[in-house]
Amino acid sequence: QLRLVESGGGLVQPGGSLRLSCAASGSTLDYSAIGWFRQAPGKEREGVSCINSHGEFTHYEDSVKGRFAISRDNAKSTVLLQMNSLKPEDTGVYYCALVNCYSSNPFSPAFGWGPGTQVTVSS
C-alpha cells in the first residue's frame, strides 16, 4: 500500500527558500500524479501545484506561479517542491497526495494524504 510522507518544512524569513520532499513507501510513485497542498491556520486546505506521473506536465496555482517549482525523481520515489521568494501568506502545513493533474480540477479528488510538514514564513 502506497504511503506518502512529507519533509523539509521549517521556519524561514520572508524572501527565503525551502525545498519540500514527498517520499513514497510501500509502492512506487512511477504511475501516480502528485499534488502539493497547504493549509493555513483557520483556512481550508488548498492545492498549490501538481505534476503528472512522468514529470512533463505541471500545474501551479496563481498564488505560487513563478516562485514554486515542482519536480520528481521516480527512481527515488520522490516529488519535490522548491519554494522561493517565500511570503508570510505561504505559512501553513504542506501536504502531498495522489491527484489527477490533467483534470480541469486537478486537486479534487485527492487520496493518500501524508501527515504534512509545517512551513512558517516570518521575520
Side-chain angles (χ1 to χ4, degrees):
Q1 182 179 358
L2 180 68
R3 296 184 63 185
L4 301 176
V5 178
E6 306 88 348
S7 63
L11 172 64
V12 64
Q13 292 186 343
S17 298
L18 283 174
R19 187 174 72 171
L20 304 185
S21 176
C22 173
S25 63
S27 184
T28 179
L29 274 181
D30 290 7
Y31 307 108
S32 302
I34 297 295
W36 279 100
F37 299 74
R38 66 187 179 190
Q39 186 167 20
K43 295 187 177 181
E44 292 189 355
R45 186 157 47 190
E46 63 175 356
V48 296
S49 182
C50 63
I51 188 167
N52 74 329
S53 60
H54 296 292
E56 74 272 18
F57 178 83
T58 58
H59 169 81
Y60 299 92
E61 291 294 291
D62 287 346
S63 58
V64 305
K65 201 171 292 183
R67 300 188 298 122
F68 290 12
I70 192 170
S71 61
R72 66 188 300 152
D73 184 344
N74 284 346
K76 296 181 179 179
S77 286
T78 301
V79 173
L80 302 175
L81 185 68
Q82 178 67 42
M83 307 188 297
N84 300 322
S85 302
L86 283 162
K87 305 175 181 180
E89 52 263 43
D90 294 317
T91 293
V93 180
Y94 282 69
Y95 303 88
C96 59
L98 304 175
V99 298
N100 180 0
C101 197
Y102 291 122
S103 169
S104 58
N105 185 3
F107 299 115
S108 179
F111 305 97
W113 297 97
T117 185
Q118 175 70 46
V119 171
T120 303
V121 185
S122 175
S123 55

